[in-house]
Amino acid sequence: MHTPATLVRGGTSKCWLFQQVHVPADRGALEKLLVAAYGSADPVELDGVGGATPTTSKAAVVSASPASGVDVDYLFAQVGIGTGSVEWTSNCGNCATGVALYAVAKGLVPITGDRTRVVMRNTNTGAVLEGLVDTTGGVVHDFGEQTVPGTRAGGVAVGLTFRGPAGRTTGALLPTGLPAQDLRVGGADPVRVTMVDAGAPVVLVDAASAGHTGSEPLDAMGALVPWLRSVRHACAPELGLAVPGAEPGDAVPKVGLVGPPVAYTSTLGDRVTADAYDVSVRMLSMNAPHPAIGLTSAVAVAAAALAEGSVVARAARSPRDGRLRIGTPAGVVAVACEDVRDGVPGRVTVQRAARLLADARIYVPDHAAAPGSRRAA
């Protein structure tokens, strides 16, 4: 059996996009289909289309939205690697960037001149985003020159804006009511953390309080994964994302280290000076160091920078006009907070790039095939 799908690159992620009419509406049946299509039970996803890294084992199901003022809905899936399971609790801004281009390319949203706005709703979290797609000349472009940290490849420019991102999951920008607090993990000395909900629920650890810098290279971050997972799991109940004593998930809260800017060399070999950015951030993506930064995490970092006393505000240079430059392993990501009221941003924008890579038919075993999928001739 086969299921139609489109592979897109959004920012520094790759994501297979499925139209809702081609896959099951039932979440359990959809998970069964994705696990089979990605080869998710295999840690290298060899017998499937998964990329065997957290940034390339993603999917989204796209449909026209019934909501007023929204063009398309998308359900995001973080497909497990070697787990045979799917995480449904989060959003992915990079995949949303791809969804915006896909919606225009597939005719779900009509072109409106040199720039086409696509309003999207992430049905996992209820987040509403806008993608401003470059359609110069009134056409969809297959290629573009916009680049993002983490790859030298160009793509079609997409400005991605998170609308009203604060408190979408927990109800508040600072879910515990505190800009920062001490957290004890195991028997170790307490570390300073900020728990923030903007884009996604995120736990940001003051790197210095844990004996780190926040500018660690990826191999050093790899050694910190077990400890950062412990931080994530300790904070999940405080954020209302897990019941105390229950088996915690690894999608949310997102977790990472924050520190002051220092000179470093990016994963692309570029030298980044300390004055080229405002704050160092190193995040996990599921259970691996993120090669750059997820956009939902970038939104949370920028929003936290506006909160006096947060670990970001203490480590960072003061944002200029709501703009924050985040130093990531891949380079500097700039984030702009707008419509800020009482320290809460109404809009947060990141400039990204996207490209459609392939239209395909993904073959899956009969027992995992979706309604509407077809048997191969």
Side-chain angles (χ1 to χ4, degrees):
M1 307 290 285
H2 58 76
T3 299
T6 298
L7 182 62
V8 302
R9 174 174 74 82
T12 52
S13 292
K14 286 202 289 189
C15 186
W16 283 99
L17 302 183
F18 302 83
Q19 291 205 27
Q20 180 64 75
V21 295
H22 295 139
V23 298
D26 175 76
R27 188 72 60 85
L30 176 59
E31 179 160 344
K32 189 175 181 181
L33 171 69
L34 291 175
V35 165
Y38 279 58
S40 170
D42 178 2
V44 296
E45 293 187 327
L46 183 63
D47 193 38
V49 298
T53 70
T55 55
T56 58
S57 191
K58 300 181 176 187
V61 178
V62 183
S63 61
S65 179
S68 176
V70 179
D71 298 310
V72 296
D73 286 346
Y74 70 97
L75 174 68
F76 172 67
Q78 181 72 56
V79 183
I81 302 166
T83 66
S85 63
V86 176
E87 287 273 2
W88 301 102
T89 56
S90 59
N91 185 15
C92 174
N94 276 322
C95 285
T97 303
V99 169
L101 177 60
Y102 172 88
V104 178
K106 299 300 182 182
L108 297 174
V109 175
I111 294 171
T112 56
D114 289 341
R115 299 290 182 272
T116 300
R117 189 178 306 277
V118 180
V119 181
M120 302 166 281
R121 180 175 62 174
N122 171 243
T123 56
N124 309 71
T125 65
V128 177
L129 303 91
E130 295 176 9
L132 191 61
V133 182
D134 178 8
T135 50
T136 301
V139 297
V140 178
H141 300 285
D142 294 326
F143 302 94
E145 310 234 339
Q146 179 74 38
T147 59
V148 297
T151 175
R152 300 198 192 283
V156 178
V158 179
L160 189 70
T161 297
F162 292 71
R163 299 197 327 200
R168 286 285 183 175
T169 300
T170 66
L173 174 65
L174 301 173
T176 67
L178 299 171
Q181 60 200 84
D182 290 331
L183 176 75
R184 190 178 296 275
V185 181
D189 292 337
V191 296
R192 197 71 172 161
V193 303
T194 291
M195 301 186 206
V196 58
D197 178 10
V202 176
V203 178
L204 300 167
V205 181
D206 173 61
S209 72
H212 305 298
T213 66
S215 57
E216 281 75 9
L218 290 179
D219 55 353
M221 279 296 294
L224 296 178
V225 167
W227 180 75
L228 285 169
R229 290 187 69 211
S230 297
V231 172
R232 170 192 284 152
H233 297 162
C235 292
E238 292 200 44
L239 291 166
L241 302 174
V243 176
E247 183 68 24
D250 279 312
V252 290
K254 300 178 186 300
V255 62
L257 295 173
V258 174
V262 297
Y264 71 101
T265 301
S266 76
T267 51
L268 293 179
D270 296 325
R271 189 63 178 165
V272 182
T273 61
D275 61 0
Y277 67 105
D278 302 309
V279 65
S280 296
V281 179
R282 299 292 185 268
M283 300 295 301
L284 291 194
S285 177
M286 299 294 282
N287 294 321
H290 199 295
I293 187 172
L295 295 197
T296 52
S297 296
V299 168
V301 171
L306 300 174
E308 185 177 354
S310 74
V311 300
V312 181
R314 287 181 175 274
R317 294 190 177 93
S318 297
R320 288 173 291 276
D321 300 323
R323 297 179 183 273
L324 187 73
R325 300 169 300 170
I326 302 171
T328 81
V332 178
V333 174
V335 187
C337 293
E338 302 171 302
D339 300 338
V340 179
R341 298 182 181 179
D342 298 324
V344 179
R347 296 168 63 86
V348 182
T349 300
V350 189
Q351 294 301 317
R352 305 305 284 168
R355 195 164 78 79
L356 303 190
L357 301 178
D359 286 313
R361 296 181 299 175
I362 300 177
Y363 290 83
V364 295
D366 287 357
H367 62 78
S373 299
R374 297 185 295 168
R375 184 178 300 277

